[in-house]
Amino acid sequence: MPPKSTGKEKGVDKEEVLQAVVIAESFNQRFAPLTANKPRCLLPMCNAPLLDWTFESLSVAGVHEVFVMCQSHFESIEQAIQKSKWSQSASPLKIHAMKLPTSTQSFGDALRFVDSQSIITNDFVLVSGDMVCNVKIDEMVKAHKARRKLDHEVIMTVLVKEAAVGHRTRPKGETAIFTLDAESRQLLHYEGVPAVPKVSNATISRALLKEAELDIRYDLIDCGIDVCSVDVPIIFSDNFHENDLRRDFVTDVLTSEILGKKIYCHFADDGYAARVRDPMTYAAVSRDILGRWCFPLVPDDNHPGGHQYEHLPGNRYLAKDKVVLSRNCKIGNNTLIGPGSRLNDTARVEGSVLGENCTIEGGAMIRNSYLWNNVHIGAGCIIKESILGAGVILETGTVVERGCLIGEGVVVKAHSRVIEFSRIAKRNGDQGLGDGDGGYLLDDATQQEEDPDSDEDADPFESAANLRYLRLGKLPLNQIESGFVDLRTGGIGKEESESETEADDSGSEGETNVHPAFDPMELDRDPWCSLKWQDEFGREAYQTLKRGVDEHLDVDNVALELTTLRMASNADPGRLKVMVVAFMLEQIKIVEGNVAGQKKAAMDVVERWGELVASICRGEMIQALWRLQQLCSLSAYQSVFGAVVSACYMEEVINEDTIKKWHALPESKGAEGSNMNKLWKIGQSMLAALAQDSDDDESEEEEEDDESEEEASADETPAPKAKSGNPPTGAKAPPPKNEEEEDDDEDDDDEDDEEEEE
């Protein structure tokens, strides 16, 4: 145990020492299986442990002495502190790691232990080990001390920040109602609000309603940062039923007439402060760090992990140490690539964080995901809004759907599909799925059915129904489903779809990155809209096509990138098919009054992009030709239709059978006199020309066959010898021989006679 604080470390007077207590235990399993081998406070956030971000925040706030309270993985935390820059002599913080008793089960137990150690000498800052903050906490401390000078009953000041309902760091599953005195901002009533069961009304006592003016707020982020007096641990020790800091301690203080204590709120008008409470806020805070909302706590300047990063446009961060990027890989906005990582040909990473020494093989797509150190992603893999622990290996063609947490060292077999919100841990003993060190599916609390006979006193914030609102990559509620992946065979398993409690809230706050519904009727009205979609998939797909033109990319690479993007976005395949047809048509220059020039313009484009259309629309070229007809009928490209179809036929993008089947479609004929009908007739003329060419070819072949047969008969059948000097009846006399031929014949006869004599 560290010595009790004297308040004189590093030459600082006792009154000036600002202490902080960091509770490094989470007391829940929201990040399992990622916390199987390390505590939550050591999970990497933008390639630095969460605890380092917390220390950095406290250092910026002017804290001098820090007590870290932890129970599980105590040795790991102690070693991490010793190896960090915070243990160096120049560190502005003096840090003590203290091990909690094994009986510690809650936040309240941790503070009772703090009281028993008598380490707190003055007002202190109380935080959790998962905080990221650049707010000037020292100003909050000064305001707290000023209130205590006027009123010794003030024991706590809570940091809050205004935010819209549904803010990314304020998930629906864990919100609260704050009732304040409108003038002094004294907290008069606190009520935690889970998503399930749904809360429609606040429970406020009649006595409070008699106050002159109340400010009832549901738009505040509880930053998880408090300035406390030394009375707070003492009150916890006196009340053993208090376990949660907010829902137990704060509620008891505000409703107790015996204690008579007061709590205030401090509004952070500037700066950033948030806790990483769950996978959803993990992703939100990561994006905020990359988006520089936490400046000066940013990767390229003052990075807690000690790495050096280069900041590029679009908030892209590349480590300055041994990052290998292939020429055709793509790094999207809000992305961080850690030291020693490698992206091979056509690999694509967007809105994601790669740890140290990660390898991304060709054709892989990673979107809005977080890969920790030494992760290997095979060729063609797709990862969507998930977290992969250190040392995870995804073999070729694996698809990880959104919301998945894959534990350290798991190997997912080739061509597996990991269902949404799965949690996979490394195989242990004989349990679970997978070969060797593959992995097995955890019993995810968010997938479990509620037990009607469960303890009524159980924490509603940790219920299965409520935890669904705290998952990474949250889907609309009516799309949530449970499932498992068989890592041994790469097979897919799916259980029955779940219906979420309060399914009518599927469009409410707290949901992020939900792909809008696709309306096929929109395409029937105007297929050109495929080049104007403003959702994420539409913009990305169009930009990929434009980049293919601007950078002269290989068609195969463009096709692979588009297919990977469609699968990663879970977009309707029909959208991409229409888009590539429209894009190819858009590239063709319209040449007025010059048929030959128009044919050449069409041929040049089809030679370049026809293979892409054939690849994306493989097996559905009849429908692609019908879309081409639609696109031409609704634009100035009507005059180009014949040239495009002819070029596609010449380049073998389509064949005669495709044109015949398209022409036979009822919808391709259109109304008499319409643009569709005019183009249909052009197709009819083309088919007639193709048929005529086919007949001419057959006639020529038959004539050639007849001539060949006659020549063969003439060569093979010898002419009969006449018995008399006159030719046979009906036979033509042979032409007279010249003198040389007669001499040759005589020589031949002489040779024959000699042979007969011999």
Side-chain angles (χ1 to χ4, degrees), residues 655-720:
N655 54 32
E656 184 177 354
D657 188 52
T658 301
I659 301 175
K660 286 180 179 178
K661 290 180 179 178
W662 157 76
H663 193 261
L665 292 175
E667 56 267 32
S668 69
K669 188 173 184 179
E672 188 65 33
S674 65
N675 288 343
M676 289 288 284
N677 185 255
K678 292 176 182 177
L679 300 182
W680 180 81
K681 289 180 179 179
I682 291 175
Q684 190 174 36
S685 300
M686 293 183 66
L687 285 173
L690 290 172
Q692 181 63 42
D693 290 343
S694 178
D695 292 341
D696 292 344
D697 291 343
E698 288 178 2
S699 299
E700 291 178 2
E701 289 177 0
E702 289 176 358
E703 290 177 2
E704 291 176 357
D705 290 342
D706 292 342
E707 291 177 1
S708 298
E709 289 176 1
E710 290 177 1
E711 291 176 359
S713 299
D715 292 339
E716 295 174 3
T717 306

Side-chain angles (χ1 to χ4, degrees), residues 591-608:
V591 183
E592 299 287 352
N594 187 342
V595 176
Q598 187 64 81
K599 287 183 176 179
K600 184 179 185 308
M603 180 61 74
D604 290 344
V605 173
V606 173
E607 283 180 351
R608 176 73 173 91

Side-chain angles (χ1 to χ4, degrees), residues 30 78 127 151 217 478 591 649:
R30 293 180 181 181
E78 192 173 39
V127 298
D151 187 351
R217 307 292 294 268
N478 57 5
V591 183
Y649 177 79

Side-chain angles (χ1 to χ4, degrees), residues 199-269:
V199 177
S200 302
N201 304 301
T203 306
I204 302 175
S205 68
R206 292 181 180 273
L208 287 180
L209 296 176
K210 296 178 182 179
E211 296 288 336
E213 186 176 355
L214 295 180
D215 191 7
I216 302 176
R217 307 292 294 268
Y218 186 59
D219 62 341
L220 299 179
I221 296 177
D222 183 353
C223 300
I225 302 172
D226 305 308
V227 179
C228 305
S229 73
V230 293
D231 295 329
V232 170
I234 296 173
I235 295 174
F236 267 100
S237 295
D238 293 341
N239 298 273
F240 278 87
H241 67 281
E242 293 176 350
N243 292 315
D244 186 84
L245 181 63
R246 293 286 185 266
R247 297 188 293 276
D248 294 332
F249 176 79
V250 170
T251 300
D252 285 355
V253 168
L254 297 180
T255 57
S256 174
E257 296 180 358
I258 298 175
L259 290 174
K261 302 298 182 182
K262 298 177 182 179
I263 299 175
Y264 282 79
C265 286
H266 180 85
F267 282 68
D269 297 324

